[in-house]
Amino acid sequence: MKKIIVANWKMHPRTEKEAVALARASDATSVVICPPFPFIPAVARVLKRAALGAQNAFPGTTGAKTGEVSAGELKSAGVRYVILGHSERRAEGERDAQIAKKITGATAEGLIPILCVGEPASVRAKGFTAAQAYVKKQLLADLSGLAQSSKLKAQNLLIAYEPVWAISTTKNHKDETPEDAARMAQFIKKLLVVSHKSKATVLYGGSVNAKNAASFLARPEFSGALVGGASLNPAEFKKVIKAGASL
Ligand code: PGA
């Protein structure tokens, strides 16, 4: 099965012209491109195969919320997916209670949330069981707004397991092993069956690049990858897409 490759451009690139060029070069089936808000309309105009995503969404449609962009507004701009709970937003102070509201808000507007969970280095240093407990707490809190009785359809929610210490190719980090990452994906899947009677679709994120993509994507536990830094380099990103397509 072709894997889903999500491009998280974060706060890149600098201009609309560069964003359009990057979108054209990355346009492929099973790809989701998440540009910064101002570039969404221009990217929407050039994408023929890839789906459009956003990197955040305030719950609801309209309201007195200066500086926020709503799930409804994004939907109207052609967005289908939204990254929520990314560790870089959590580092800016976003809490599980807000993330839970964003998840239910995005779902209500018909967007597919890509919920990011993952433990920081200090937790992982205490061992894998501690990391599982951390991820479990995040997941249960972030999904608390979704009723357990209304079965979550796997295709309506993606969960990205992103160990915080493995994120960002620019940092001198220790790589996560595909084995441990897959163990965490199995744990997430089992948890969702119990908590929400749902099959979970799990992606891996954390410095996925042309070299290591195949080792993560080959694991059946992962339905795809969330790619940051490597998605800004078209040649590199094409290799990641290819690694996901040939499985
Ligand atoms: P990275 O980013 O691939 O640069 O580590 C992934 C992410 O933060 O979503």
Side-chain angles (χ1 to χ4, degrees):
M1 213 187 91
K2 223 172 173 185
K3 305 264 170 156
I4 305 161
I5 310 294
V6 182
N8 177 12
W9 288 358
K10 307 192 178 184
M11 203 165 69
H12 303 280
R14 198 174 164 79
T15 65
E16 185 180 275
K17 203 172 161 203
E18 287 171 80
V20 166
L22 192 54
R24 283 193 211 277
S26 314
D27 191 17
T29 52
S30 297
V31 167
V32 179
I33 300 197
C34 304
F37 290 139
F39 302 147
I40 283 176
V43 168
R45 281 194 289 275
V46 298
L47 291 184
K48 295 202 167 62
R49 298 178 192 86
L52 192 57
Q55 300 173 23
N56 191 18
F58 201 84
T61 46
T62 55
K65 300 286 174 193
T66 303
E68 297 290 358
V69 176
S70 79
E73 289 162 342
L74 291 168
K75 183 88 198 294
S76 141
V79 167
R80 281 180 53 206
Y81 293 82
V82 60
I83 297 171
L84 292 172
H86 193 281
S87 59
E88 287 156 9
R89 295 210 55 79
R90 293 180 193 258
E92 293 294 326
E94 196 160 291
R95 297 281 164 260
D96 287 318
Q98 292 165 283
I99 297 164
K101 282 189 192 144
K102 290 183 176 188
I103 294 274
T104 40
T107 306
E109 294 297 328
L111 295 182
I112 300 176
I114 304 170
L115 170 63
C116 300
V117 292
E119 78 287 355
S122 58
V123 171
R124 184 61 168 254
K126 293 182 194 148
F128 199 73
T129 311
Q132 285 178 320
Y134 188 95
V135 166
K136 177 178 177 177
K137 200 163 166 255
Q138 281 187 324
L139 271 174
L140 294 183
D142 298 344
L143 299 178
S144 61
L146 297 177
Q148 302 192 359
S149 53
S150 69
K151 278 193 189 173
L152 270 180
K153 287 202 190 92
Q155 67 271 28
N156 291 343
L157 171 73
L158 305 179
I159 294 170
Y161 171 54
E162 300 205 304
V164 179
W165 48 274
I167 291 177
S168 188
T169 40
T170 56
K171 285 184 202 140
N172 187 20
H173 64 79
K174 188 172 150 291
D175 276 344
E176 170 68 307
T177 66
E179 291 69 32
D180 277 349
R183 260 171 82 202
M184 187 64 90
Q186 282 163 14
F187 174 76
I188 291 170
K189 283 171 187 277
K190 277 191 196 140
L191 183 67
L192 269 269
V193 169
V194 175
S195 68
H196 288 81
K197 298 180 181 61
S198 167
K199 272 191 176 176
T201 304
V202 185
L203 313 180
Y204 179 70
S207 300
V208 172
N209 56 39
K211 272 200 196 110
N212 66 16
S215 64
F216 288 103
L217 292 170
R219 305 291 313 210
E221 293 86 352
F222 289 116
S223 301
L226 177 50
V227 186
S231 72
L232 299 171
N233 175 335
E236 174 110 15
F237 191 58
K238 270 185 193 141
K239 287 182 191 158
V240 175
I241 298 172
K242 209 168 160 208
S246 56
L247 294 162

